[in-house]
Amino acid sequence: MTGAFGALAHPLTAVVGRALPRSADEPPVGIDRDPAREAAERELSKEIYTRHEPGPVRRAFDWMWETVSDLITGVTVVTPGGWFGLLLIVLIVLALLIALRLRLGSVRTAGGAGGPEVLGAAARTAAEHRAEADRHAGAGHWDLAVRERVRALVRSLEERALLDPRPGRTADEAAREAAVPMPAFADRLRAAARTFDDVTYGGRGADAADHHRVDELDRELRAARPAVPSRPVGEVPTGASPSGGAAR
């Protein structure tokens, strides 16, 4: 600071000194206000006076820090208890956010324990899903082919009334429910659901063998007969009364 001040003082002294009388015998050399100001500005604009000034990034950071500090100070002034009260409020809000996050996470887990839905929002027939699977398989897009083949399998079971049409059904749920009328295929249905989840949401790539297994399962399911007759929930079997006794 001393060196910079000395460097600044020397030229200013020279500029101002020219406006003062040099001796008792000489008349003063007058300098008008505007030329003096311009000479001072030129002198102060030299690099020697600006090299130690902070750069634009530092000035922006200082401004931001001062703004945040003023804001926090203003909040503490109007907050009961000052800094301690502000800290207590921040901790309470943080605890509420954590509790809300845990609550929403547990609800989401309970609602979708088996993974995302298998059929999605678009309503297609089993034949349309099979045609899409064949097209992807022909192009060597095995991930897409496996997904569409599993969707065709599930839609086919719904069309045969072996599964109740239900939006939001996951692949695991479809496999578990389809195993009731088709118990001989329970293991293969679970394997197909696991392959669907791994390929669609687990990041695992499918291959031709995966598609072949799901395609073969779909074909065998279409040719198989259910182990128990399928009827809507709540329907009373023929020959039985609603109370469970024999019909009269």
Side-chain angles (χ1 to χ4, degrees), residues 6 22 24 41 67 104 122 133 141 162-163 166 171 185 188 214 221-222 243:
R22 299 187 179 184
E41 290 177 351
T67 302
L104 292 178
H141 301 154
L162 299 178
L163 289 178
R166 177 165 59 83
F185 297 91
R188 296 170 65 187
V214 179
L221 282 172
R222 280 186 286 166
S243 61

Short mmCIF file of all heavy atoms in Angstrom, two decimals, residues 6 22 24 41 67 104 122 133 141 162-163 166 171 185 188 214 221-222 243:
data_model
loop_
_atom_site.label_atom_id
_atom_site.label_comp_id
_atom_site.label_asym_id
_atom_site.label_seq_id
_atom_site.Cartn_x
_atom_site.Cartn_y
_atom_site.Cartn_z
N GLY A 6 2.70 6.04 -2.67
CA GLY A 6 3.77 6.94 -3.06
C GLY A 6 3.79 7.18 -4.55
O GLY A 6 4.00 8.30 -5.03
N ARG A 22 5.85 29.04 -8.18
CA ARG A 22 7.13 28.37 -8.06
C ARG A 22 8.09 29.10 -7.13
O ARG A 22 8.96 28.49 -6.54
CB ARG A 22 7.76 28.19 -9.44
CG ARG A 22 6.91 27.35 -10.36
CD ARG A 22 7.63 27.04 -11.65
NE ARG A 22 6.81 26.23 -12.52
CZ ARG A 22 7.24 25.74 -13.69
NH1 ARG A 22 8.47 25.99 -14.11
NH2 ARG A 22 6.42 25.00 -14.43
N ALA A 24 8.72 33.23 -5.02
CA ALA A 24 8.08 34.50 -4.66
C ALA A 24 8.13 35.51 -5.80
O ALA A 24 7.31 36.43 -5.87
CB ALA A 24 8.76 35.09 -3.42
N GLU A 41 -7.18 12.11 -14.32
CA GLU A 41 -7.78 10.86 -14.79
C GLU A 41 -6.80 10.06 -15.63
O GLU A 41 -6.73 8.83 -15.53
CB GLU A 41 -9.04 11.16 -15.58
CG GLU A 41 -10.20 11.69 -14.73
CD GLU A 41 -11.41 12.03 -15.57
OE1 GLU A 41 -11.28 12.01 -16.83
OE2 GLU A 41 -12.47 12.31 -15.00
N THR A 67 -24.27 -9.36 -0.20
CA THR A 67 -25.72 -9.41 -0.33
C THR A 67 -26.31 -10.50 0.56
O THR A 67 -27.29 -10.28 1.27
CB THR A 67 -26.11 -9.66 -1.79
OG1 THR A 67 -25.56 -8.63 -2.62
CG2 THR A 67 -27.62 -9.68 -1.95
N LEU A 104 -42.98 -40.16 1.41
CA LEU A 104 -43.29 -40.35 -0.01
C LEU A 104 -42.54 -41.54 -0.57
O LEU A 104 -43.06 -42.28 -1.40
CB LEU A 104 -42.93 -39.08 -0.79
CG LEU A 104 -43.79 -37.85 -0.50
CD1 LEU A 104 -43.30 -36.67 -1.30
CD2 LEU A 104 -45.26 -38.13 -0.81
N ALA A 122 -50.41 -47.11 -23.56
CA ALA A 122 -51.01 -47.40 -24.87
C ALA A 122 -51.75 -48.74 -24.83
O ALA A 122 -51.21 -49.74 -24.38
CB ALA A 122 -49.92 -47.43 -25.93
N ALA A 133 -43.10 -56.98 -31.80
CA ALA A 133 -41.96 -57.79 -31.36
C ALA A 133 -41.25 -58.42 -32.55
O ALA A 133 -40.01 -58.47 -32.60
CB ALA A 133 -42.43 -58.87 -30.38
N HIS A 141 -33.15 -55.70 -32.69
CA HIS A 141 -33.34 -54.89 -31.49
C HIS A 141 -33.97 -55.78 -30.41
O HIS A 141 -35.18 -55.77 -30.18
CB HIS A 141 -34.23 -53.68 -31.79
CG HIS A 141 -33.69 -52.80 -32.85
ND1 HIS A 141 -34.49 -51.98 -33.65
CD2 HIS A 141 -32.41 -52.59 -33.28
CE1 HIS A 141 -33.74 -51.32 -34.50
NE2 HIS A 141 -32.48 -51.67 -34.30
N LEU A 162 -58.10 -64.84 -18.52
CA LEU A 162 -57.32 -65.50 -17.48
C LEU A 162 -56.70 -64.49 -16.53
O LEU A 162 -56.28 -64.84 -15.42
CB LEU A 162 -56.23 -66.36 -18.12
CG LEU A 162 -56.73 -67.49 -19.03
CD1 LEU A 162 -55.56 -68.24 -19.64
CD2 LEU A 162 -57.63 -68.44 -18.26
N LEU A 163 -56.63 -63.26 -16.97
CA LEU A 163 -56.24 -62.13 -16.13
C LEU A 163 -57.28 -61.04 -16.28
O LEU A 163 -57.77 -60.79 -17.39
CB LEU A 163 -54.86 -61.58 -16.53
CG LEU A 163 -53.62 -62.41 -16.22
CD1 LEU A 163 -52.38 -61.70 -16.74
CD2 LEU A 163 -53.49 -62.68 -14.74
N ARG A 166 -56.31 -54.76 -15.94
CA ARG A 166 -56.08 -53.82 -14.84
C ARG A 166 -54.92 -52.91 -15.19
O ARG A 166 -53.79 -53.38 -15.38
CB ARG A 166 -55.79 -54.59 -13.55
CG ARG A 166 -55.47 -53.69 -12.36
CD ARG A 166 -55.55 -54.47 -11.05
NE ARG A 166 -54.66 -55.59 -10.99
CZ ARG A 166 -53.36 -55.51 -10.66
NH1 ARG A 166 -52.84 -54.33 -10.38
NH2 ARG A 166 -52.60 -56.59 -10.60
N ALA A 171 -44.99 -56.53 -14.28
CA ALA A 171 -44.66 -57.83 -14.84
C ALA A 171 -44.68 -58.91 -13.75
O ALA A 171 -45.14 -60.03 -13.98
CB ALA A 171 -43.28 -57.76 -15.51
N PHE A 185 -46.78 -73.28 -15.64
CA PHE A 185 -45.89 -72.30 -16.25
C PHE A 185 -45.39 -71.27 -15.22
O PHE A 185 -44.82 -70.24 -15.61
CB PHE A 185 -46.61 -71.56 -17.38
CG PHE A 185 -47.01 -72.44 -18.53
CD1 PHE A 185 -48.28 -73.04 -18.54
CD2 PHE A 185 -46.16 -72.68 -19.58
CE1 PHE A 185 -48.66 -73.85 -19.58
CE2 PHE A 185 -46.55 -73.49 -20.64
CZ PHE A 185 -47.80 -74.09 -20.64
N ARG A 188 -41.58 -70.32 -15.35
CA ARG A 188 -41.22 -69.64 -16.60
C ARG A 188 -41.86 -68.26 -16.68
O ARG A 188 -41.28 -67.32 -17.26
CB ARG A 188 -41.62 -70.50 -17.79
CG ARG A 188 -40.85 -71.82 -17.85
CD ARG A 188 -41.42 -72.75 -18.89
NE ARG A 188 -41.26 -72.23 -20.24
CZ ARG A 188 -41.79 -72.80 -21.33
NH1 ARG A 188 -42.51 -73.92 -21.20
NH2 ARG A 188 -41.60 -72.28 -22.52
N VAL A 214 -39.00 -66.16 -24.34
CA VAL A 214 -40.30 -65.52 -24.10
C VAL A 214 -41.27 -65.85 -25.22
O VAL A 214 -42.46 -66.10 -24.98
CB VAL A 214 -40.11 -64.00 -23.95
CG1 VAL A 214 -41.46 -63.32 -23.72
CG2 VAL A 214 -39.17 -63.68 -22.80
N LEU A 221 -48.35 -70.98 -23.96
CA LEU A 221 -49.49 -70.50 -23.17
C LEU A 221 -50.74 -70.38 -24.02
O LEU A 221 -51.85 -70.70 -23.57
CB LEU A 221 -49.15 -69.14 -22.54
CG LEU A 221 -48.26 -69.16 -21.30
CD1 LEU A 221 -47.86 -67.74 -20.92
CD2 LEU A 221 -48.97 -69.84 -20.13
N ARG A 222 -50.58 -69.95 -25.24
CA ARG A 222 -51.75 -69.83 -26.12
C ARG A 222 -52.35 -71.20 -26.42
O ARG A 222 -53.57 -71.33 -26.58
CB ARG A 222 -51.36 -69.14 -27.43
CG ARG A 222 -51.27 -67.62 -27.32
CD ARG A 222 -51.02 -66.99 -28.66
NE ARG A 222 -49.65 -67.19 -29.12
CZ ARG A 222 -49.23 -66.97 -30.35
NH1 ARG A 222 -50.09 -66.60 -31.29
NH2 ARG A 222 -47.97 -67.15 -30.69
N SER A 243 -75.60 -68.43 -1.10
CA SER A 243 -75.13 -68.67 0.25
C SER A 243 -74.15 -69.81 0.34
O SER A 243 -73.60 -70.11 1.38
CB SER A 243 -76.32 -68.98 1.17
OG SER A 243 -77.01 -70.14 0.72
#
